[in-house]
Amino acid sequence: MLLALTKTANFMAEPKANELMEKIVSLCKRRGFIFQSSEIYGGINGFWDYGPLGAELKRNVKDLWWTSMTRFREDVVGLEATIIMHPQIWKASGHVETFADMMSECPLTKKRVRTDQVDPQTGIAYFYTGAGSADGATSTETFSVLIAVGKPPESARKSAAQFYEMRGVKSPELQGERSEKIENTMLYHPESGVRLTEPRPFNLMFKTFVGPVESEENVAYLRPETAQAIFAQFKNIHETSRQKVPFGIAQVGKAFRNEVTPRNYTFRSREFEQMELEFFIKPDEAVEAIHGTVATVPSTGHPGEPQPNWGWQAWHQYWVEERVAFYEGIGLSRQTLGFHVQTPEELAHYARATVDILYKFPFSKKNEQGEMAGEELEGVAARSDFDLSQHERFSGKQMGVFDEELRAAWGKLDEEKKKDLWQRYHDARLKYLTKTGLNAEKAAKKAKEDADGLAKGQYIPHVIEPSAGVDRLILALLSNAYTEATETDDKGKTETRVILKFHPRVAPYKIGVMPLLKNKPDLVKKALEIRDTLRQHMNVFYDDGGSIGRRYARQDEAGTPFCVTVDFETFEGIKDGANAGEKDTVTIRHRDDGRQERIKVSELLGWLLPKVR
Amino acid sequence: MLLALTKTANFMAEPKANELMEKIVSLCKRRGFIFQSSEIYGGINGFWDYGPLGAELKRNVKDLWWTSMTRFREDVVGLEATIIMHPQIWKASGHVETFADMMSECPLTKKRVRTDQVDPQTGIAYFYTGAGSADGATSTETFSVLIAVGKPPESARKSAAQFYEMRGVKSPELQGERSEKIENTMLYHPESGVRLTEPRPFNLMFKTFVGPVESEENVAYLRPETAQAIFAQFKNIHETSRQKVPFGIAQVGKAFRNEVTPRNYTFRSREFEQMELEFFIKPDEAVEAIHGTVATVPSTGHPGEPQPNWGWQAWHQYWVEERVAFYEGIGLSRQTLGFHVQTPEELAHYARATVDILYKFPFSKKNEQGEMAGEELEGVAARSDFDLSQHERFSGKQMGVFDEELRAAWGKLDEEKKKDLWQRYHDARLKYLTKTGLNAEKAAKKAKEDADGLAKGQYIPHVIEPSAGVDRLILALLSNAYTEATETDDKGKTETRVILKFHPRVAPYKIGVMPLLKNKPDLVKKALEIRDTLRQHMNVFYDDGGSIGRRYARQDEAGTPFCVTVDFETFEGIKDGANAGEKDTVTIRHRDDGRQERIKVSELLGWLLPKVR
């Protein structure tokens, strides 16, 4: 008989949000899922390391994504590009110009804050119009500082004097002082009280220099997303991989954003990992030329197997549903997810549609109706032909493809259809070209060329981009798995313990293998044999220390879905029940409900494999 | 009957080194193994992307390393740490101070070169002792420039004048001109001819800033190696993973070095990937206290399964041999490898021993005896307790462990043994502490404390570090696999084609699955069924385009070790031979020798799995 759990488990109601997050953070550290980076040096804000269990969890997630994207599909291939790329890529993508937060500075202390994240303050604001000095120096710069109600004006004057002295006005005589009570203002620095400078964009890309000289021409950036590498290598891959549009390129890798305020544990960090697919499709005009019409698909649900007559809408919906199916397949049910369809105002000018797939995190906020929308796990964007067009424009290299099917089909169209398709393609290109700042004449000339190209089978592919964050998915999986069980033992003692109910596919260890007693060589030998067989196929945790109950609890906390125990019945035969007398069986214990059953050792692998893959 | 290769294959003698490298580079681009990063923008020196085939090859290598290190061992766990860490880590590791190349600058153009890599030049050197100006400005800085023999002295004077003008001497009158012929000098800039400045260290770490302000206190570095993250997280992992010394921590990840001259294709690049294990062991004194003596192992060959009485030498040799076995297991035979045992002069002061495992690349140089040593694939270093000691010193956090076995054993030692072990441990610690620059008194006090700690079961673990470069291993695998076959067809036409003879374990695709004809639905259906079954377990390339011979050749070039073809005999039964009449078989074709055999479809997976895993 096994020393099984004789306790009764009561699953608690969900703890409160922040309390729950604290518990998750604490468990992650205690069990080696996630540590603060550089912790022994006091940490570094916005950087997190994955310990032994976290590293395996993350590997499983990335492997499942990669395998589902590349191995199980004929129409997606992989790429592994560098983090540092040519800086021109980030000009083409728009990151150099627009990937920025607005920041304001305290002119006294030079400390910066994000303009939209200043805590509102109330107090007496003092204003000065300038200052003069005995030696004739003057400043007409205005200055303002907020001081607490009731505080003497001297403290304001001291700040002002400091400010004007920094501007070369010695022992300044302050001019034009006036004061005013201000409520809930976000215009003053929360520490110094000094009025902030006008907001200025602060680029979120980490900057470095390649080569020995720190000059402007050697500036490079750590990629803020993996996607651009895919666009930059599109032609090389298209030419070498025997893929034809529609096809995709998948990449997993680190990206970096110098967030001003990293927050929510690993959710918004400065170094993170992405899983991005760029799926290249024909423009709708090409599909229509080839197939007569573009397929219409129902606006909800999975549109089924890809069809040649799909336009961007069908492909977009297909990828949203494929991605949701992926999340469901690793344990995030549809109820735990949310969706946000970007409004026309939210969409980038080139985007046709974007659907964000959300997860309801413990820190997610509820709206006035008490509903929780969730936070973004992944965005699925229909980005038109913007990305490749930009790289064509900035690199001067052709990014279009030649489509024999289109060329052949075009010849058979009637003139009206040709004219219609030509015009629509022309207008879309013209819109893009005009947006780039090209003058009207040049834009018109190029749009005409592009539309003429379409008639010859040439176009720049459009793209659907499902872009997922690995770290936030890991956090979603941890939040989703986190369960507390309160158990009362025979003596009435109550204990709360944690069970991580990971889907077996993502669980760091798939199974714990244990000999009932570590001092019985037969049991140990058998358990090791089982371990050695199983670990050809999966991660196995071998544990021979402590009571079986303790060992089970330890695996519950690590999220291991199954444990097997080699006991005396393995050798002597099952004692009771339908299979009494049967030898070479082990106990399988289920993490989620503590249920135990016996299984033949020879059937173990076959029983496990479909569950963990 | 299959349209099999009826040509005869003649394997060519090995092409010349550079020619071979050029062929490999060209194949890698043509088949999508490796592309230049940001190629459409002219590339970025020292950065390389892995295309579809390269990404799979690299994944296989990293997965095999990770699996062999973690899943198949009880004594190693994984870590996935950030690339940007607290800058103090690089002070502790010594990288901030000493991880540098010596660089010299042209004082005129400000261009820098690596002092040890200037091409030797011969010419007439002109020297000046200073210059004066009509307005009274003078400079006594010396200046020298090298001009070609026979060139008029005016060009030298022009450079000199420019130099002194930059120093504020207008229309300078040059002083103290003399000239001299110099041969094979490395002291002048190869472009400007101007004498270089004194060599100065140039740090190889990429620098960036974390947070919105680019100030000294916000400086951070991209890690130049993954190892330090392991040391920094040693305590966290030791406390949470239930591991006891000896045990190891494994990590795979990107690292960055701002090499002045990246070279040899992907061998020395600026962004690269490492697979590093830090294996923590007891100091020899602890082993001796517990086991009476430290095991001696033969100085060559694998010392076998780890034993509790192993000291650093046995562990070091164990890891060298384990790593060689890993390389052999993925197709790099011992003959393709070289070894370099670092001499006492080469060793870092804290290192006990380092063995470099080399691979003989096409670009490797031969010595005077015509022998090729090879280039480093991996270094296996016995690093004493230096790393953890440094982090203890810089972080102020205890990095030692408590060893109950040692504490218990120590109590049973006779006094003489205690004294001997205490002294040896004390002396080793004192040596380290003195090296850190601690004053004699403090070092003596701390060394005594440390030795007293040992007697209570406490010590800082020593470490064995097998540190491998992923990219150079990929390049070794490509070089090793590259084979040319010259074939003459029936009409006497000769053609040379490439076969990449990868070990099946690392091959990007394990098998090509092909229907003989794409317009026969039965053949296609069967081939797709086979593909779907196999790809649950491995990467499969499905190909129905072109002649079978062409498809085989395409897979040979991609390094796919096997192809199966579904043909009419699959349905109609084998025509001839011992198994005539047998149905449901396919042809397996072997990449390396073109050999073909028939196998039952039902036995295919079982036949393949042991070969590709």
Side-chain angles (χ1 to χ4, degrees):
Chain A
M1 256 292 284
L2 273 181
L3 302 173
L5 275 177
T6 54
K7 307 166 184 179
T8 55
N10 290 308
F11 290 93
M12 283 170 67
E14 195 186 280
K16 270 172 280 162
N18 287 347
E19 191 189 324
L20 178 56
M21 269 313 290
E22 275 168 31
K23 285 176 173 182
I24 291 171
V25 171
S26 145
L27 177 83
C28 282
K29 165 141 167 81
R30 182 159 53 83
R31 286 310 307 258
F33 281 97
I34 299 171
F35 305 125
Q36 211 183 352
S37 168
S38 320
E39 193 190 295
I40 58 172
Y41 292 100
I44 172 165
N45 192 9
F47 296 87
W48 300 92
D49 290 352
Y50 291 84
L53 289 178
E56 296 294 345
L57 176 62
K58 206 172 168 207
R59 278 177 66 79
N60 291 341
V61 166
K62 289 189 282 181
D63 276 358
L64 284 166
W65 185 90
W66 184 269
T67 309
S68 73
M69 282 297 176
T70 64
R71 192 202 287 172
F72 288 105
R73 300 187 67 99
E74 292 291 325
D75 58 357
V76 176
V77 295
L79 171 68
E80 203 191 300
T82 53
I83 289 168
I84 294 179
M85 296 188 281
H86 197 291
Q88 199 67 10
I89 286 179
W90 308 112
K91 291 198 177 133
S93 70
H95 283 83
V96 169
E97 263 190 29
T98 61
F99 190 57
D101 280 341
M102 296 308 280
M103 304 275 300
S104 302
E105 192 176 272
C106 164
L108 217 53
T109 61
K110 305 289 173 199
K111 285 191 181 171
R112 293 183 194 170
V113 287
R114 244 181 81 167
T115 312
D116 61 347
Q117 287 181 356
V118 180
D119 281 333
Q121 302 167 81
T122 295
I124 309 292
Y126 278 78
F127 298 88
Y128 301 90
T129 55
S133 164
D135 65 7
T138 58
S139 168
T140 56
E141 259 187 87
T142 59
F143 177 81
S144 177
V145 59
L146 192 76
I147 64 173
V149 177
K151 232 180 158 185
E154 267 63 43
S155 61
R157 290 171 193 150
K158 206 176 143 194
S159 288
Q162 224 180 321
F163 173 80
Y164 290 110
E165 274 179 355
M166 281 170 65
R167 267 139 195 84
V169 185
K170 281 179 201 151
S171 313
E173 192 172 309
L174 303 174
Q175 294 163 355
E177 180 182 285
R178 68 178 181 86
S179 67
E180 182 185 325
K181 186 172 180 191
I182 299 190
E183 288 184 0
N184 295 319
T185 175
M186 290 169 71
L187 298 177
Y188 291 82
H189 195 283
E191 287 168 21
S192 66
V194 176
R195 185 159 177 138
L196 295 161
T197 57
E198 282 299 301
R200 285 210 325 199
F202 161 69
N203 198 290
L204 294 181
M205 287 194 290
F206 282 101
K207 196 170 95 173
T208 190
F209 297 95
V210 173
V213 185
E214 291 191 3
S215 64
E216 213 33 56
E217 67 196 33
N218 291 333
V219 163
Y221 303 98
L222 306 194
R223 64 180 177 200
E225 61 173 42
T226 59
Q228 294 304 322
I230 297 178
F231 299 125
Q233 292 292 11
F234 168 76
K235 281 295 267 187
N236 266 335
I237 293 174
H238 180 253
E239 280 162 14
T240 62
S241 69
R242 311 193 76 232
Q243 292 284 353
K244 283 180 189 161
V245 175
F247 81 100
I249 302 174
Q251 186 173 221
V252 177
K254 287 271 178 101
F256 297 79
R257 294 180 189 179
N258 199 358
E259 297 284 351
V260 177
T261 44
R263 61 191 178 278
N264 287 332
Y265 197 28
T266 57
F267 183 81
R268 187 174 298 277
S269 45
R270 285 169 165 157
E271 177 174 338
F272 56 99
E273 199 151 12
Q274 292 187 305
M275 306 186 289
E276 293 196 307
L277 171 71
E278 303 300 330
F279 196 82
F280 300 96
I281 57 174
K282 302 176 201 235
D284 278 12
E285 293 82 6
V287 175
E288 198 172 326
I290 297 167
H291 300 283
T293 52
V294 172
T296 52
V297 296
S299 67
T300 55
H302 198 299
E305 283 299 295
Q307 300 300 326
N309 63 347
W310 276 9
W312 73 262
Q313 272 173 312
W315 274 113
H316 183 241
Q317 197 174 329
Y318 170 83
W319 277 113
V320 170
E321 291 296 329
E322 282 288 296
R323 298 303 303 139
V324 171
F326 176 82
Y327 291 121
E328 289 180 314
I330 57 173
L332 301 182
S333 70
R334 222 169 247 261
Q335 298 91 280
T336 68
L337 302 176
F339 296 91
H340 174 65
V341 181
Q342 289 192 10
T343 61
E345 293 72 39
E346 290 172 301
L347 280 178
H349 69 84
Y350 49 82
R352 300 279 171 90
T354 296
V355 172
D356 294 333
I357 303 173
L358 318 174
Y359 176 80
K360 292 162 185 160
F361 284 96
F363 53 77
S364 293
K365 299 223 168 27
K366 286 182 175 152
N367 67 9
E368 286 152 15
Q369 287 78 47
E371 294 154 353
M372 186 185 276
E375 316 294 322
E376 187 186 337
L377 277 187
E378 170 157 358
V380 185
R383 298 175 59 85
S384 76
D385 57 4
F386 177 75
D387 305 283
L388 291 181
S389 298
Q390 285 288 99
H391 284 294
E392 176 165 304
R393 193 158 70 86
F394 277 78
S395 71
K397 302 281 190 306
Q398 295 283 334
M399 299 299 272
V401 299
F402 170 70
D403 188 327
E404 172 55 36
E405 209 183 352
L406 170 61
R407 196 200 56 79
W410 194 275
K412 294 173 193 150
L413 296 178
D414 61 40
E415 289 309 310
E416 198 176 342
K417 189 81 176 176
K418 278 183 188 170
K419 207 178 148 193
D420 172 40
L421 293 175
W422 188 97
Q423 194 65 45
R424 275 153 56 197
Y425 192 75
H426 170 272
D427 294 353
R429 292 299 298 165
L430 184 64
K431 192 177 154 203
Y432 160 74
L433 292 161
T434 308
K435 273 273 182 193
T436 65
L438 220 58
N439 71 41
E441 194 185 337
K442 279 188 181 162
K445 183 163 172 272
K446 180 78 170 71
K448 186 177 170 301
E449 276 171 23
D450 290 349
D452 288 346
L454 186 78
K456 292 175 194 141
Q458 272 160 345
Y459 53 77
I460 291 182
H462 285 228
V463 71
I464 308 291
E465 176 190 86
S467 164
V470 181
D471 307 82
R472 33 185 77 179
L473 176 52
I474 297 300
L475 190 54
L477 292 171
L478 282 161
S479 305
N480 188 61
Y482 189 92
T483 315
E484 291 183 345
T486 302
E487 291 162 346
T488 310
D489 68 9
D490 308 340
K491 292 160 196 154
K493 204 179 140 198
T494 291
E495 199 186 42
T496 299
R497 61 187 191 81
V498 176
I499 306 174
L500 285 184
K501 297 190 173 181
F502 290 127
H503 190 289
R505 279 180 168 166
V506 297
Y509 289 95
K510 307 307 181 191
I511 188 160
V513 174
M514 307 164 179
L516 180 60
L517 299 169
K518 78 192 275 188
N519 57 1
K520 299 284 174 193
D522 281 358
L523 301 185
V524 170
K525 184 164 170 269
K526 190 72 179 178
L528 289 173
E529 274 171 29
I530 293 172
R531 177 199 71 181
D532 291 346
T533 303
L534 298 181
R535 79 178 175 191
Q536 299 295 323
H537 305 270
M538 64 190 77
N539 272 346
V540 178
F541 197 92
Y542 179 82
D543 193 358
D544 60 11
S547 79
I548 276 289
R550 280 270 278 287
R551 284 184 259 169
Y552 286 161
R554 224 178 268 147
Q555 292 309 307
D556 286 348
E557 224 179 38
T560 310
F562 310 105
C563 288
V564 292
T565 304
V566 176
D567 55 20
F568 296 111
E569 289 181 67
T570 306
F571 297 93
E572 293 162 8
I574 297 176
K575 279 197 177 156
D576 318 299
N579 300 313
E582 191 175 21
K583 290 185 180 176
D584 238 15
T585 64
V586 286
T587 299
I588 284 202
R589 187 259 186 189
H590 296 254
R591 173 197 63 199
D592 293 352
D593 53 12
R595 187 162 45 95
Q596 302 193 5
E597 54 184 314
R598 287 202 82 90
I599 188 168
K600 291 185 91 153
V601 172
S602 59
E603 289 167 7
L604 188 54
L605 180 62
W607 184 91
L608 272 171
L609 277 181
K611 295 183 172 59
V612 304
R613 272 195 184 152
Chain B
M1 256 290 287
L2 273 180
L3 303 173
L5 275 178
T6 53
K7 309 167 185 178
T8 54
N10 291 308
F11 290 95
M12 285 170 66
E14 195 185 281
K16 271 172 277 162
N18 287 346
E19 191 189 325
L20 177 56
M21 270 312 291
E22 276 167 30
K23 285 177 172 179
I24 291 171
V25 171
S26 144
L27 177 82
C28 283
K29 166 142 167 79
R30 181 160 52 85
R31 287 310 308 258
F33 280 97
I34 299 172
F35 304 124
Q36 209 183 353
S37 168
S38 318
E39 195 190 294
I40 58 171
Y41 292 100
I44 172 166
N45 193 9
F47 295 88
W48 300 92
D49 290 353
Y50 291 83
L53 289 178
E56 295 294 345
L57 177 62
K58 206 172 169 207
R59 278 178 65 80
N60 290 341
V61 166
K62 290 189 281 182
D63 276 357
L64 284 165
W65 185 89
W66 184 269
T67 309
S68 73
M69 282 299 176
T70 65
R71 191 202 287 173
F72 288 104
R73 300 187 67 100
E74 292 291 324
D75 58 357
V76 176
V77 294
L79 171 68
E80 202 190 302
T82 52
I83 288 168
I84 293 178
M85 298 189 280
H86 197 291
Q88 201 65 11
I89 286 179
W90 308 111
K91 290 197 177 135
S93 70
H95 283 84
V96 169
E97 263 190 27
T98 62
F99 190 59
D101 280 340
M102 296 309 280
M103 304 276 298
S104 302
E105 193 176 272
C106 165
L108 216 54
T109 60
K110 304 290 172 199
K111 286 192 181 170
R112 291 181 196 171
V113 287
R114 245 181 82 168
T115 312
D116 61 348
Q117 288 182 355
V118 180
D119 281 333
Q121 302 168 82
T122 295
I124 310 292
Y126 279 78
F127 298 88
Y128 302 90
T129 55
S133 164
D135 65 8
T138 58
S139 168
T140 57
E141 258 187 89
T142 59
F143 177 81
S144 176
V145 59
L146 191 76
I147 62 173
V149 177
K151 233 183 159 184
E154 267 62 42
S155 61
R157 287 171 195 150
K158 202 175 147 196
S159 290
Q162 221 180 326
F163 173 81
Y164 289 111
E165 274 178 356
M166 280 171 67
R167 267 140 196 84
V169 185
K170 280 178 201 153
S171 312
E173 192 171 310
L174 304 174
Q175 293 163 354
E177 179 182 285
R178 70 180 179 84
S179 66
E180 184 184 324
K181 185 171 182 194
I182 299 189
E183 289 184 358
N184 295 318
T185 175
M186 290 170 70
L187 297 177
Y188 291 82
H189 195 282
E191 286 169 22
S192 66
V194 176
R195 187 161 176 135
L196 295 160
T197 57
E198 282 300 300
R200 284 207 329 198
F202 160 69
N203 198 291
L204 295 180
M205 287 194 291
F206 283 100
K207 197 170 96 173
T208 189
F209 298 96
V210 173
V213 185
E214 291 191 3
S215 65
E216 213 33 56
E217 67 198 31
N218 290 334
V219 163
Y221 304 97
L222 306 193
R223 65 181 175 199
E225 60 173 44
T226 59
Q228 295 303 324
I230 297 179
F231 298 125
Q233 291 292 11
F234 168 77
K235 283 294 269 187
N236 266 335
I237 293 174
H238 181 253
E239 279 161 16
T240 61
S241 69
R242 310 194 75 233
Q243 291 284 353
K244 283 180 189 161
V245 175
F247 81 101
I249 302 173
Q251 186 173 220
V252 176
K254 287 273 177 101
F256 297 79
R257 294 182 187 176
N258 199 357
E259 298 284 350
V260 177
T261 44
R263 60 190 177 279
N264 287 332
Y265 197 28
T266 58
F267 183 81
R268 187 173 301 277
S269 45
R270 284 169 165 158
E271 177 174 339
F272 55 99
E273 199 151 15
Q274 292 187 304
M275 307 187 288
E276 293 196 306
L277 170 72
E278 302 300 330
F279 196 83
F280 300 96
I281 58 174
K282 301 176 201 235
D284 277 12
E285 293 82 5
V287 175
E288 198 172 325
I290 297 167
H291 300 284
T293 52
V294 172
T296 51
V297 297
S299 66
T300 55
H302 198 297
E305 282 300 295
Q307 300 300 324
N309 64 346
W310 276 8
W312 73 264
Q313 273 174 310
W315 275 114
H316 183 242
Q317 197 175 329
Y318 169 84
W319 277 114
V320 170
E321 292 296 329
E322 282 287 297
R323 298 303 304 141
V324 171
F326 176 82
Y327 292 120
E328 290 179 314
I330 56 174
L332 301 182
S333 70
R334 222 168 248 260
Q335 298 92 276
T336 68
L337 304 175
F339 298 91
H340 173 66
V341 182
Q342 288 193 9
T343 61
E345 293 73 40
E346 290 173 300
L347 279 178
H349 67 84
Y350 49 81
R352 299 280 171 88
T354 296
V355 172
D356 294 333
I357 303 174
L358 319 174
Y359 177 80
K360 293 161 185 161
F361 284 96
F363 54 77
S364 293
K365 299 223 169 27
K366 285 181 175 153
N367 67 9
E368 286 153 14
Q369 286 78 48
E371 294 153 351
M372 186 185 275
E375 316 295 322
E376 187 185 337
L377 276 187
E378 169 158 358
V380 185
R383 297 175 59 86
S384 77
D385 57 4
F386 176 75
D387 304 283
L388 291 180
S389 299
Q390 285 288 97
H391 284 293
E392 175 166 304
R393 194 159 70 85
F394 277 78
S395 70
K397 301 284 191 303
Q398 295 283 332
M399 298 299 272
V401 299
F402 171 69
D403 188 327
E404 173 55 36
E405 208 184 353
L406 170 60
R407 198 200 56 79
W410 193 275
K412 294 173 193 152
L413 297 177
D414 61 40
E415 288 309 311
E416 200 176 339
K417 189 81 177 178
K418 279 182 187 170
K419 208 177 144 192
D420 171 41
L421 293 175
W422 189 99
Q423 194 65 46
R424 275 153 54 197
Y425 192 75
H426 170 272
D427 293 354
R429 293 298 298 164
L430 185 63
K431 193 177 153 204
Y432 161 73
L433 292 160
T434 308
K435 273 273 183 193
T436 66
L438 221 58
N439 71 40
E441 195 185 337
K442 280 188 180 160
K445 183 162 171 274
K446 180 77 169 72
K448 188 177 169 303
E449 277 171 24
D450 290 349
D452 289 346
L454 186 78
K456 292 174 194 143
Q458 272 159 348
Y459 53 78
I460 292 182
H462 286 228
V463 71
I464 308 291
E465 176 190 87
S467 165
V470 181
D471 307 82
R472 33 185 76 181
L473 175 51
I474 298 300
L475 190 54
L477 292 171
L478 282 161
S479 306
N480 189 61
Y482 188 91
T483 315
E484 292 183 345
T486 302
E487 291 160 349
T488 310
D489 69 10
D490 308 339
K491 292 160 195 152
K493 204 181 141 197
T494 292
E495 199 186 43
T496 298
R497 61 188 192 84
V498 176
I499 305 174
L500 284 184
K501 297 189 173 181
F502 290 128
H503 191 289
R505 281 182 167 164
V506 298
Y509 290 95
K510 307 308 181 189
I511 189 160
V513 174
M514 306 163 180
L516 180 61
L517 299 170
K518 78 192 277 188
N519 56 0
K520 298 285 171 193
D522 280 359
L523 300 186
V524 170
K525 182 164 172 269
K526 190 71 177 178
L528 288 173
E529 274 172 30
I530 293 172
R531 178 199 70 182
D532 291 346
T533 304
L534 297 181
R535 79 177 174 190
Q536 299 295 323
H537 305 271
M538 64 190 76
N539 271 347
V540 178
F541 196 94
Y542 179 82
D543 193 359
D544 60 11
S547 79
I548 276 289
R550 280 269 278 286
R551 284 185 258 170
Y552 286 162
R554 223 179 268 147
Q555 292 308 308
D556 286 350
E557 224 180 37
T560 310
F562 311 105
C563 288
V564 291
T565 303
V566 176
D567 55 21
F568 296 111
E569 289 181 68
T570 305
F571 297 93
E572 293 161 9
I574 298 176
K575 280 198 177 157
D576 319 297
N579 300 314
E582 192 175 18
K583 290 186 181 176
D584 238 13
T585 64
V586 286
T587 298
I588 285 202
R589 186 258 187 190
H590 296 255
R591 173 196 65 199
D592 293 352
D593 53 12
R595 188 165 42 97
Q596 302 192 6
E597 54 184 314
R598 286 200 83 91
I599 188 168
K600 292 184 90 151
V601 172
S602 59
E603 288 167 8
L604 189 53
L605 180 62
W607 183 90
L608 272 171
L609 277 181
K611 293 180 175 60
V612 304
R613 271 195 183 150

